[in-house]
Amino acid sequence: MNRRDFLQRAAFGASAMAAAGSGAAQRVAGRPNVLWIIAEDASPHLGCYGEAAVKTPHLDALAGEGVRFDSAIISCPVCSPARSALATGMYQTTIGSHNHRSQNEGDKAGGNPDYYPSYALPEATPLVSDLFRAAGYYTCNGAGPEADKPGKTDYNFITSGAPYDGADWRDAPAGAPFFAQIQLSGGKWRGGKIEHNDFTLPPYYPDDPLMREDWAAYLASWERVDREVGAVVQSLKDAGVYENTLIVFITDHGISHARGKQFLYEDGLRIPMIVRFPDGRLAGTVRRDLALHIDLVPLSLAVAGIPAPGHLQGADLFAPDYAERPYLVSARDRCDETIDCIRSVRTARYKYIRNFHAHRPHLQRSQYKDGKAILQRLRELHALEALTPLQDAIFAPRRAPEELYDLEADPHETSNLAGDPGHAPVLAEQRERLYRWMVETRDGGLLPEPILEDLGREYGSKYAAMRQPGMAERIPGIIAAIEAGERNDRPALRAALSDADPAVRYYAATWMGSLRAVEHADALHALAEDAVPAVQVAGHLALCQAGEAAEHLPRLAALVDNPNRITGMYAMNAIEQTGILNDTVEAAARRAVENPYDGTQRYGRRLLAKCEALRGLG
């Protein structure tokens, strides 16, 4: 939604609230306000969490008046899926919003309008703002401490109406309580730096001047956030509503760094969470049990006295019958043009990470990541062989399918215990928990995105598609095909090439190609003619990797223009994986640059630059 449309809808919403008259205001008189303050791209590096390198007196004071959660995590470490989950109280993998910025109406990624309905948010999953609005609350979302303009949404779905009534909580009709969000730039801001150099980088980063400079700027962003939070608190006090307002402070995910944002290590998942109650109860409390950001939805509804719908997947952390959860799951899927599927299970002590695309490197090429000076410097140091084995691990061409870390003994997640026989029972338990959760929550992340897009178009939305009979039951079969590839079980992979499930065929072909299973090329030829274009992409790539690029690279390039723009992006991803630079690739790259979908364009620009550079060398 553009700014003009937002303001027009916001004006309509505000006038509708005012038109409801004093009756609505009287019904909600005295009910507490709810304010969520959300900063971007920042992990818990603030004073009340033990960071000595910065001074955050306002946030420290807020924590002193409320409850500080020491083990709060996010359901996804990148913006649009995490915000989509928070806005609905539902896992992004359940509602079909798990792939970052897809071909969604109004989304910056672009796409094919025929697929926009695939992103519709069904009535069964209303926004938290809709729930508050239905209860008589004025709802708003503003940017910065002044909240004088609309705040960031970046939701990966479309709704039938305006998500908020306005931008500023001070515009609420007289007597009406408000549900407000204030969005802060947080760690995205790198406009300053702390005045000293007294901090230590995590061991998985080199102690390099550029890395230190960036980290210092990041720490300075926390001091700016603190000042902004102080201004917000003061504005509430000046308006006489501070004592009647539930205040929540979180970040949308962790620090934007090589192992942070977009990944399931602690730097990506762990966030600060501070909850200050209107009545001041539990002031100065520290909670060390697991909390998830979508828990804020039922928690906030409870404080406001609004019944929580039964479909919510979060939990009211302060309910009388609340029981601490033994584990929480987080998920990362495609981020911009980088195709991946990672899941984690977090307990009080252990972190289990499942890399379902273990045949691909941790740091795949990414326009967003590679545009950062810190990533460019890491790549330079990698090329110079100047990194330690721990620091260099992110550049390995393949990943371990499973990772297990003892967070008590190894808080930086540096020693993978997945291969340790002594931890085999823990590994098996975490794996079983994850696989069961994926089925129970109808996690759509293992379905190749082009296939899920088509299912969403067929059934009205991806959420509806995953609720069709038998959909959740497909997940174990897909996992079995991936596991066959991981253990190099070529007979099992060959059998999977003819499976009835196109997702199974896709992964079987993907692993056959990754393993360079030339002896099974005959079986792959059938997939090059598959009825499902995404499977064709995997089949053509596998055959290119088996030495038949002369025939199958042009056919792969032809899929770039598929009406399902995600299929075209997958085709460009496959072309990049071949490592081939020739006239066919250059022509495909030129078409990709003109494609309506941003992810496809990114591959096109990258490959075109390589082709032109190669031609220049010639």
Side-chain angles (χ1 to χ4, degrees):
M1 183 188 309
N2 61 37
R3 178 178 171 84
R4 184 184 65 183
D5 289 343
F6 179 99
L7 293 174
Q8 288 176 342
R9 293 185 183 184
F12 174 81
S15 62
M17 174 70 80
S22 60
Q26 290 172 357
R27 284 197 299 273
V28 296
R31 295 172 70 180
N33 306 303
V34 176
L35 172 63
W36 294 353
I37 305 173
I38 305 171
E40 294 193 68
D41 292 28
S43 301
H45 295 108
L46 62 161
C48 58
Y49 279 87
E51 178 58 69
V54 298
K55 293 180 173 60
T56 52
H58 298 103
L59 283 163
D60 297 350
L62 191 68
E65 294 183 15
V67 182
R68 176 171 65 81
F69 285 85
D70 195 52
S71 298
I73 64 171
I74 207 82
S75 68
C76 179
V78 73
C79 189
S80 71
R83 289 175 179 270
S84 297
L86 180 60
T88 58
M90 299 282 287
Y91 269 97
Q92 71 282 352
T93 49
T94 296
I95 61 175
S97 296
H98 48 285
N99 289 302
H100 181 43
R101 293 181 182 155
S102 303
Q103 49 181 338
N104 175 357
E105 181 182 22
D107 192 286
K108 62 179 66 177
N112 184 343
D114 290 345
Y115 284 84
Y116 291 167
S118 182
Y119 293 86
L121 192 66
E123 292 182 4
T125 58
L127 298 180
V128 61
S129 54
D130 292 331
L131 299 174
F132 273 97
R133 182 185 288 144
Y137 274 67
Y138 178 78
T139 66
C140 51
N141 183 42
E146 294 302 317
D148 56 352
K149 60 182 179 180
K152 183 175 184 177
T153 52
D154 207 10
Y155 302 146
N156 203 28
F157 51 68
I158 55 177
T159 60
S160 58
Y164 302 100
D165 298 316
D168 194 333
W169 57 267
R170 286 162 289 205
D171 293 334
F178 59 79
F179 167 70
Q181 295 183 55
I182 293 178
Q183 312 293 335
L184 306 178
S185 58
K188 271 190 164 63
W189 182 77
R190 291 289 205 272
K193 63 179 180 179
I194 55 176
E195 297 303 319
H196 60 85
N197 205 28
D198 187 18
F199 59 86
T200 302
L201 291 173
Y204 40 79
Y205 296 137
D207 198 353
D208 175 82
L210 191 147
M211 303 294 287
R212 293 190 68 82
E213 181 181 350
D214 179 79
W215 202 271
Y218 160 70
L219 291 174
S221 75
W222 263 117
E223 296 189 343
R224 182 179 192 238
V225 167
D226 186 72
R227 293 191 295 271
E228 292 174 327
V229 170
V232 171
V233 167
Q234 189 59 51
S235 68
L236 294 170
K237 290 178 177 178
D238 291 344
V241 298
Y242 179 73
E243 297 301 333
N244 192 38
T245 301
L246 172 74
I247 302 176
V248 173
F249 175 81
I250 62 169
T251 60
D252 63 348
H253 48 70
I255 179 176
S256 181
H257 230 286
R259 280 191 23 151
K261 180 179 181 180
Q262 298 189 358
F263 293 101
L264 303 185
Y265 300 111
E266 292 292 272
D267 266 3
L269 289 185
R270 186 167 171 252
I271 61 170
M273 182 187 289
I274 298 171
V275 178
R276 185 262 184 196
F277 287 97
D279 58 8
R281 62 189 164 107
L282 301 175
T285 301
V286 177
R287 289 269 295 266
R288 305 196 187 282
D289 56 307
L290 296 171
L292 192 63
H293 75 310
I294 61 175
D295 294 338
L296 297 178
V297 175
L299 185 162
S300 299
L301 291 171
V303 170
I306 302 171
H311 70 270
L312 296 180
Q313 291 172 310
D316 177 6
L317 297 162
F318 297 94
D321 60 349
Y322 175 72
E324 294 184 9
R325 288 168 290 192
Y327 67 93
L328 289 173
V329 177
S330 297
R332 176 257 160 99
D333 293 280
R334 181 180 54 77
C335 291
D336 298 315
E337 79 273 30
T338 307
I339 300 166
D340 213 333
C341 183
I342 316 174
R343 298 292 181 268
S344 70
V345 178
R346 172 72 149 80
T347 69
R349 180 173 178 178
Y350 290 102
K351 165 79 69 62
Y352 168 75
I353 296 176
R354 182 64 170 94
N355 294 301
F356 286 109
H357 290 196
H359 62 289
R360 302 286 285 138
H362 172 97
L363 274 185
Q364 298 181 52
R365 285 293 180 179
S366 162
Q367 178 178 300
Y368 171 76
K369 286 272 189 179
D370 291 342
K372 293 180 176 293
I374 50 174
L375 261 295
Q376 294 166 11
R377 180 57 177 157
L378 284 173
R379 289 194 185 278
E380 290 173 0
L381 294 172
H382 166 68
L384 293 170
E385 299 183 352
L387 299 173
T388 68
L390 170 63
Q391 295 160 0
D392 204 52
I394 56 177
F395 294 105
R398 293 175 181 266
R399 285 170 284 177
E402 295 181 303
E403 302 173 59
L404 181 68
Y405 301 100
D406 182 341
L407 299 176
E408 291 181 3
D410 180 24
H412 288 299
E413 299 163 293
T414 64
S415 180
N416 182 7
L417 302 173
D420 176 15
H423 285 84
V426 176
L427 184 73
E429 180 182 38
Q430 305 298 66
R431 182 192 304 123
E432 192 277 333
R433 282 172 164 171
L434 174 64
Y435 290 0
R436 184 177 66 247
W437 178 91
M438 293 178 75
V439 172
E440 290 176 349
T441 64
R442 298 178 178 268
D443 182 347
L446 279 179
L447 269 75
E449 190 179 359
I451 294 176
L452 187 57
E453 289 280 289
D454 283 325
L455 289 171
R457 185 181 182 192
E458 178 181 356
Y459 292 108
S461 72
K462 294 192 290 296
Y463 175 90
M466 287 304 297
R467 269 152 185 73
Q468 298 305 306
M471 283 296 292
E473 290 70 24
R474 294 170 64 175
I475 295 172
I478 298 171
I479 293 174
I482 294 170
E483 290 177 337
E486 292 167 345
R487 64 177 183 267
N488 196 7
D489 186 344
R490 301 191 183 197
L493 286 175
R494 185 179 180 102
L497 290 175
S498 58
D499 195 273
D501 188 338
V504 171
R505 300 197 300 275
Y506 171 90
Y507 281 108
T510 295
W511 274 100
M512 279 289 200
S514 179
L515 295 169
R516 303 296 194 271
V518 178
E519 71 276 17
H520 295 289
D522 61 316
L524 289 166
H525 286 137
L527 298 194
E529 310 296 337
D530 199 276
V532 178
V535 178
Q536 293 178 33
V537 170
H540 289 311
L541 172 59
L543 287 163
C544 287
Q545 293 167 323
E548 299 186 22
E551 177 184 352
H552 291 279
L553 184 62
R555 297 180 65 185
L556 187 57
L559 289 165
V560 172
D561 302 312
N562 191 275
N564 183 340
R565 305 300 184 196
I566 306 298
T567 300
M569 183 189 66
Y570 266 53
M572 287 302 297
N573 171 275
I575 290 171
E576 185 174 66
Q577 286 190 56
T578 68
I580 298 170
L581 298 174
N582 60 17
D583 290 344
T584 298
V585 173
E586 183 171 355
R590 292 190 183 281
R591 297 202 315 278
V593 169
E594 302 300 322
N595 193 281
Y597 188 60
D598 177 69
T600 308
Q601 295 170 23
R602 294 183 183 209
Y603 282 109
R605 286 190 291 268
R606 195 155 59 235
L607 286 172
L608 187 59
K610 289 182 178 180
C611 288
E612 291 176 342
L614 183 64
R615 190 169 61 248
L617 291 174

